[in-house]
Amino acid sequence: MNSRQITRSIGKSGVVASAVGLGTWAIGGWMWGGTDEAASIAAIQASIDAGVSLIDTAPAYGLGRSEEIVGKAIKGQRDRAVIASKCGLNWHSKKGNHFFDQDGTPVNRYLGADGIAYEVEQSLRRLGTDYIDLYITHWQDPTTPIAETMEALERLKSAGKIRAIGASNLNAAELQQYLAAGQLDAIQERYSMLDREIEQTLLPIARQHQVAALSYSSLALGLLSGAIDPAREFSGDDQRKDNPRFSQANRCKVAALKHALAPVAEIHQATMAQIVIAWTLAQPGITFALCGARNATQALDNARAGEILLSTAELGAIDAAVAVHLVAIDA
């Protein structure tokens, strides 16, 4: 691994990974305007070569497509990757609660023991591996007791099929139930300069119990990358097309923030996106920052952020700029 990459532990599991992780939701294509397999494989391999070991995927990203692409990319170098995948969004049965339809296929939230046992085998097959480093419940299922879910996950861990257990998209009460039921190693939640609610709800509990926190949408679906021009138009099934956050007015605010962050970026010879990711990793309780990339260039840009350590003064300057320029961004 690139020695300059910041690495951190996934809770108490003993698994260590790069603080910057590659998120592969967009690689699955769904809600991101399709996918380019060759470019996606190049993005994953470039990430690994740059020392980014943490690769986050899920069955729901393209109904297995993302996991299949990750599997192709890591073939022959499985030991260089720390794979996080998920369970609980099930299109194979009608159990649980209907959540959404993907390409006409109903997807349910279901975390029963039988569903987890089935899903892990499908993920292992698609990924081309015999173990998953971090296995995360993707969305919570109100029809299944958390204790039952944890028991099933602990069995997988004892069998060597997973190395660490995580939970995503949960509230504080659910987090406490997971902690009461077994060893939870990580939570994965939306967090960025624009999404900081978990600072008051989940992160204090996680820190108290040595649970790692993985932030997703660290760049707010790319809005905070500084690379989306105010005049850009989104098309097809791109989820940003009708998202009020991506209004032209809001993109102008981000452009102003980019200008304000320029002195810090210049010191580190970094882009706005890299400074935003480094800021994210410096926030109390945030252990890993997941960043999407659809080609090798984007992947290498994200990896560079995992080498940046911001000073206390720089973090203060960034916080002040955020308070001025992002104060009224629409949710």
Side-chain angles (χ1 to χ4, degrees):
M1 177 178 286
N2 185 329
S3 61
R4 293 189 297 172
Q5 282 288 329
I6 300 166
T7 59
R8 294 174 176 172
S9 297
I10 301 177
K12 301 175 184 176
S13 68
V15 180
V16 175
S18 58
V20 167
L22 174 65
T24 65
W25 180 12
I27 280 173
W30 179 62
M31 294 183 72
W32 289 91
T35 189
D36 180 325
E37 180 174 307
S40 298
I41 290 173
I44 296 166
Q45 293 177 339
S47 295
I48 293 172
D49 287 342
V52 172
S53 58
L54 180 60
I55 312 295
D56 178 84
T57 184
Y61 300 163
L63 300 181
R65 189 81 180 102
S66 175
E67 284 187 324
E68 289 171 351
I69 291 173
V70 171
K72 291 178 181 179
I74 65 171
K75 187 174 182 180
Q77 53 179 345
R78 174 67 182 90
D79 60 333
R80 300 177 69 196
V82 177
I83 301 298
S85 196
K86 306 176 187 73
C87 60
L89 292 187
N90 190 326
W91 63 92
H92 312 99
S93 77
K94 296 181 179 179
K95 294 182 178 180
N97 278 2
H98 178 259
F99 194 24
F100 57 81
D101 290 342
Q102 183 172 161
D103 297 331
T105 300
V107 178
N108 287 3
R109 288 188 291 181
Y110 181 59
L111 287 168
D114 58 330
I116 290 172
Y118 176 83
E119 282 197 72
V120 74
E121 297 300 333
Q122 298 304 304
S123 289
L124 291 171
R125 176 183 57 79
R126 287 189 289 258
L127 290 164
T129 185
D130 56 3
Y131 70 96
I132 294 169
D133 297 282
L134 174 60
Y135 202 45
I136 303 165
T137 57
H138 201 158
W139 286 86
Q140 302 313 304
D141 164 26
T143 72
T144 303
I146 285 174
E148 177 186 330
T149 298
M150 277 297 280
E151 185 179 352
L153 294 170
E154 293 279 13
R155 282 198 297 269
L156 294 182
K157 191 173 177 181
S158 296
K161 294 187 177 183
I162 66 174
R163 300 176 66 198
I165 296 170
S168 186
N169 300 304
L170 73 170
N171 59 39
E174 290 165 336
L175 175 53
Q176 294 284 18
Q177 290 179 57
Y178 272 101
L179 292 167
Q183 181 180 311
L184 186 74
D185 300 299
I187 57 172
Q188 182 172 322
E189 298 293 326
R190 185 170 77 158
Y191 181 84
S192 74
M193 289 177 172
L194 295 174
D195 304 288
R196 303 181 67 171
E197 296 83 0
I198 65 170
E199 290 179 354
Q200 307 302 320
T201 57
L202 298 175
L203 290 184
I205 301 170
R207 293 173 71 189
Q208 178 185 352
H209 293 274
Q210 295 178 260
V211 174
L214 292 73
S215 70
Y216 70 78
S217 290
S218 307
L219 294 174
L221 302 178
L223 180 61
L224 296 174
S225 68
I228 298 179
D229 187 272
R232 177 172 167 181
E233 294 184 5
F234 300 101
S235 60
D237 74 345
D238 193 315
Q239 61 183 306
R240 297 170 291 185
K241 182 171 62 173
D242 301 314
N243 188 333
R245 253 197 194 169
F246 285 82
S247 69
Q248 190 173 57
N250 285 345
R251 283 183 267 166
C252 287
K253 292 174 185 176
V254 172
L257 175 65
K258 181 179 181 179
H259 179 75
L261 297 186
V264 176
E266 186 175 352
I267 289 170
H268 293 277
Q269 297 184 306
T271 64
M272 176 179 172
Q274 289 162 348
I275 295 301
V276 171
I277 295 166
W279 173 92
T280 303
L281 289 171
Q283 300 312 297
I286 298 295
T287 321
F288 303 95
L290 301 175
C291 309
R294 304 186 70 172
N295 57 55
T297 299
Q298 292 173 355
L300 292 173
D301 284 346
N302 292 343
R304 170 76 177 89
E307 303 172 1
I308 297 172
L309 286 173
L310 298 169
S311 70
T312 301
E314 289 168 341
L315 289 168
I318 294 168
D319 287 338
V322 167
V324 170
H325 298 291
L326 299 187
V327 65
I329 288 249
D330 299 325

